[in-house]
Amino acid sequence: MKKMLEAQFPGIDVILDNYPPSLPKRLLSKVVPVFQFGVIGIMMAGEQIFPMIGITTPPPWYYSLRANRFGSIATAWLLGNVMQSFLQSSGAFEVYCNDELVFSKLKEGRFPGEIELKDIIAKTLANSRVTGNLGVVLS
């Protein structure tokens, strides 16, 4: 999209930026690594970690995880990374032209086509009286 807009409208400034996810998703994404390292730490430390934290005998789930240590560690690592990636993405594609929102994936619920986006930007630029410092921000 960036290259298409820059080719179609010479002199236009296309700035790519990340749209922040909601606060609950951001906070939850901070908890996921704690869970990951907790599982990995328990698997690496073995049974002796439980008396150190005040649990006399390991819980039954520990023996299930211990039966396949590599699988447990790999699953915690991979699922944690997938969850973090999901929680840190907002799914937004917001297009601003001259500080005006001209397309929002969050509002429309879909991604714009190249021709549609080109037409929206062309219409917005034609309607604006600004002759210098044209800019488009994609987030």
Side-chain angles (χ1 to χ4, degrees):
M1 292 287 190
K2 179 181 188 315
K3 288 181 180 181
M4 181 272 300
L5 289 172
E6 288 174 338
Q8 189 69 32
F9 306 103
I12 199 168
D13 221 7
V14 179
I15 302 165
L16 305 175
D17 195 13
N18 287 326
Y19 192 87
S22 63
L23 181 63
K25 286 177 81 173
R26 279 185 290 175
L27 293 175
L28 195 54
S29 75
K30 302 295 183 194
V31 173
V32 171
V34 174
F35 171 76
Q36 279 179 304
F37 286 108
V39 169
I40 293 170
I42 288 172
M43 290 291 94
M44 298 303 287
E47 292 180 24
Q48 59 269 24
I49 196 169
F50 290 103
M52 291 180 194
I53 59 174
I55 301 173
T56 55
T57 59
W61 56 262
Y62 169 75
Y63 295 108
S64 299
L65 294 177
R66 191 182 73 173
N68 185 1
R69 282 186 182 191
F70 178 77
S72 299
I73 291 171
T75 300
W77 186 257
L78 293 173
L79 285 180
N81 288 345
V82 167
M83 285 177 57
Q84 244 185 326
S85 177
F86 168 75
L87 291 169
Q88 291 176 350
S89 69
S90 63
F93 186 81
E94 312 295 294
V95 180
Y96 292 86
C97 184
N98 293 335
D99 295 327
E100 176 187 346
L101 181 65
V102 294
F103 186 88
S104 171
K105 182 182 172 205
L106 295 175
K107 290 179 186 173
E108 298 284 331
R110 63 183 179 81
F111 198 79
E114 282 188 23
I115 296 171
E116 176 186 15
L117 188 57
K118 180 184 72 164
D119 291 343
I120 290 170
I121 298 295
K123 179 180 165 189
T124 304
L125 291 176
N127 289 340
S128 94
R129 299 286 180 217
V130 178
T131 57
N133 195 16
L134 302 176
V136 174
V137 176
L138 303 175
S139 62

